[in-house]
Amino acid sequence: MESKKFFALTLVLYLSSLISYYIQIKIIDIYGLQVKYDFDLFMSYLQIAITLAIFGLPNAISLMVSREKKVPRSLYKYCLLMAVISTIVLGVFFLENHYLILPVLFVFIYISLFNDLNVGVMNSIGMFEYPRVLQLMGNIVLLAFVLSNPIKFFSGINIDEKYYALMFIVTPILPLFCFISLSKRYKTKSMIYQTISLRKIFNYVSYIYIFSIMSIVMTRLPYINFSEFLDKLSLAQYTLSLSLSNFIVIPLNLLTLKVLSSEMKKEVNVFLVNSFLLFIVVTIALLIFLFSEYSYFLLNMVNIYSSEILISTFLFVSLMAISSVNLSIALKMQKKLKEFIVLDLILISVIFVITLNLIVTFESLSEYNYFISGAVLLKMILQVYILRGENVYDRNC
């Protein structure tokens, strides 16, 4: 990718993330904590369900298209099947008291799967920027939708607030779905490739699928478990801090993508990379503390009342991002992947047990975050230890 295009896409990601964060603030201000609570809870379940259903296929499709110049056919059939299965599982085991919302969940899951699989194709046929720009457009549409406050037009009708949360979930993915379904440019570009059965794609499914599942579970599982015993305000503060932290660590996420897409001709000192990134994370955390300690402007601007929640969540998210950089190095080397899976399984187990509030009870949400951050830091140290002595470069160069 050209440097100018990459820089432009970085700006698009930042702007999209900022708009998404502002939307969450306005949902609380205009619609209240209950709608925000439903929004985050449904999104947590849906993201885990979609990650499980998609089997890492977008990455596999991108790899196959770039290598074999073939595109999968009948993607909608797979999306339809997995959307039906996912909706049934959610309805039976997790959302048994909310059967009326299942049709909306089915629509969201189907569209999300359809979008993600086609993005896998677009990434390898010279249309990498389109999904990111359309995601920005989706967030702009959602912002307009939230600010227009459609609830006021139905003041005489008793509509469950959960439907408004679902509308806010579905809206931002519609522009990309419409583009994929209606764009002649996309169809023309993909028509020059030979079509192949989707079953062949599974030959390219790799460890990335397992790690993508674990990544989503580690970030969404705490909210699901916290919802059992924390008040809705604390939960809203947690998700706002999570979104803001994800915005701050965008450069780390881009570094992960850069590592995965580069040839890495030079040897990489993993310990030095981790030390440098950890220094940056600690510095940012100290700056957040200083700004929030001596001025309430920062906290008021981001609508977060507790610097402890923000800092502890930022540490958790940023340390997870650094561990993803280590993972990208291991994936590039195609070594030590089993050890990395074991580390992630252990971390997920620790997070699950701690956030269930069964073994140990902390006094605040920030204490949970600090404990989990400590576990992630230990995982990072073990990752560096596992990768020690390996020549981290592309051996085919």
Side-chain angles (χ1 to χ4, degrees):
M1 184 185 299
E2 298 177 359
S3 58
K4 290 183 179 179
K5 183 181 290 187
F6 189 80
F7 178 74
L9 286 178
T10 303
L11 292 180
V12 168
L13 289 175
Y14 267 113
L15 183 57
S16 182
S17 182
L18 273 177
I19 293 175
S20 178
Y21 185 80
Y22 182 69
I23 287 170
Q24 295 186 62
I25 294 176
K26 300 315 294 182
I27 288 176
I28 297 174
D29 293 342
I30 299 175
Y31 302 94
L33 286 173
Q34 182 61 47
V35 174
K36 180 67 168 65
Y37 169 79
D38 292 333
F39 176 89
D40 291 324
L41 186 62
F42 291 148
M43 185 59 77
S44 296
Y45 280 120
L46 288 168
Q47 285 194 349
I48 292 175
I50 290 169
T51 303
L52 290 171
I54 206 143
F55 277 101
L57 288 175
N59 290 318
I61 289 173
S62 294
L63 190 59
M64 189 202 67
V65 174
S66 61
R67 287 184 179 180
E68 300 186 18
K69 307 302 179 184
K70 298 177 182 178
V71 296
R73 57 176 175 266
S74 303
L75 291 178
Y76 72 93
K77 293 181 181 179
Y78 176 83
C79 298
L80 186 63
L81 175 63
M82 297 309 296
V84 170
I85 294 174
S86 301
T87 304
I88 292 174
V89 171
L90 286 174
V92 173
F93 295 102
F94 301 103
L95 301 170
E96 61 273 9
N97 297 324
H98 307 291
Y99 294 119
L100 294 178
I101 68 172
L102 293 182
V104 184
L105 296 183
F106 167 79
V107 171
F108 175 83
I109 294 173
Y110 173 79
I111 294 177
S112 295
L113 292 174
F114 189 76
N115 285 354
D116 289 346
L117 293 180
N118 280 280
V119 166
V121 177
M122 297 170 75
N123 285 343
S124 296
I125 63 173
M127 301 182 70
F128 179 85
E129 67 275 12
Y130 283 78
R132 283 77 190 173
V133 174
L134 288 164
Q135 179 186 1
L136 173 60
M137 291 176 58
N139 283 333
I140 293 174
V141 172
L142 177 58
L143 177 61
F145 189 65
V146 169
L147 294 178
S148 66
N149 191 8
I151 291 180
K152 64 185 178 183
F153 298 111
F154 302 98
S155 56
I157 304 175
N158 185 20
I159 299 178
D160 195 323
E161 290 179 327
K162 292 180 175 59
Y163 283 101
Y164 299 116
L166 290 170
M167 283 190 289
F168 299 151
I169 290 174
V170 173
T171 300
I173 65 175
L174 293 178
L176 178 56
F177 178 73
C178 293
F179 176 83
I180 293 171
S181 302
L182 304 175
S183 172
K184 292 183 179 180
R185 178 179 176 82
Y186 174 50
K187 292 179 181 178
T188 301
K189 277 211 164 192
S190 58
M191 282 177 61
I192 65 176
Y193 292 86
Q194 180 184 349
T195 60
I196 191 173
S197 172
L198 187 62
R199 290 194 298 268
K200 301 292 184 180
I201 310 297
F202 284 89
N203 295 330
Y204 284 89
V205 174
S206 64
Y207 283 101
I208 295 178
Y209 169 60
I210 300 175
F211 289 117
S212 64
I213 293 175
M214 294 182 178
S215 177
I216 291 295
V217 170
M218 278 187 277
T219 54
R220 285 295 173 176
L221 183 63
Y223 184 88
I224 295 174
N225 288 343
F226 285 151
S227 64
E228 297 294 328
F229 60 90
L230 288 180
D231 61 276
K232 291 181 175 61
L233 179 59
S234 296
L235 289 170
Q237 291 289 297
Y238 172 74
T239 54
L240 285 175
S241 300
L242 198 63
S243 297
L244 185 60
S245 299
N246 283 322
F247 171 78
I248 297 174
V249 302
I250 283 178
L252 287 178
N253 295 328
L254 292 175
L255 177 60
T256 301
L257 292 175
K258 185 68 174 177
V259 170
L260 285 172
S261 61
S262 66
E263 294 186 349
M264 295 175 62
K265 295 181 179 179
K266 296 182 179 180
E267 186 174 334
V268 177
N269 188 321
V270 181
F271 175 78
L272 186 61
V273 170
N274 277 253
S275 300
F276 175 71
L277 295 178
L278 186 60
F279 172 77
I280 292 177
V281 167
V282 172
T283 301
I284 294 175
L286 288 174
L287 289 174
I288 294 174
F289 172 76
L290 291 175
F291 276 109
S292 58
E293 186 74 13
Y294 297 102
S295 173
Y296 290 102
F297 173 75
L298 176 63
L299 296 181
N300 291 333
M301 182 177 64
V302 298
N303 209 33
I304 297 176
Y305 69 84
S306 171
S307 60
E308 286 293 320
I309 292 180
L310 176 56
I311 294 172
S312 62
T313 306
F314 167 72
L315 287 175
F316 166 56
V317 172
S318 57
L319 292 176
M320 285 286 294
I322 296 176
S323 70
S324 295
V325 174
N326 294 335
L327 171 61
S328 67
I329 294 174
L331 286 169
K332 193 69 180 178
M333 295 165 53
Q334 286 296 300
K335 285 193 173 183
K336 307 296 183 179
L337 295 177
K338 292 181 180 179
E339 289 89 338
F340 273 56
I341 289 176
V342 172
L343 286 179
D344 275 0
L345 286 174
I346 294 173
L347 182 60
I348 288 176
S349 300
V350 170
I351 292 176
F352 181 75
V353 171
I354 293 301
T355 56
L356 275 179
N357 207 30
L358 295 177
I359 296 180
V360 60
T361 302
F362 295 107
E363 295 182 358
S364 64
L365 177 60
S366 58
E367 292 184 1
Y368 284 98
N369 282 336
Y370 283 131
F371 184 90
I372 296 173
S373 298
V376 179
L377 178 61
L378 179 59
K379 171 191 168 184
M380 282 173 47
I381 294 173
L382 292 174
Q383 285 178 329
V384 174
Y385 178 77
I386 290 172
L387 291 173
R388 76 194 187 286
E390 296 286 346
N391 292 321
V392 186
Y393 61 91
D394 191 344
R395 289 163 172 77
N396 295 322
C397 295

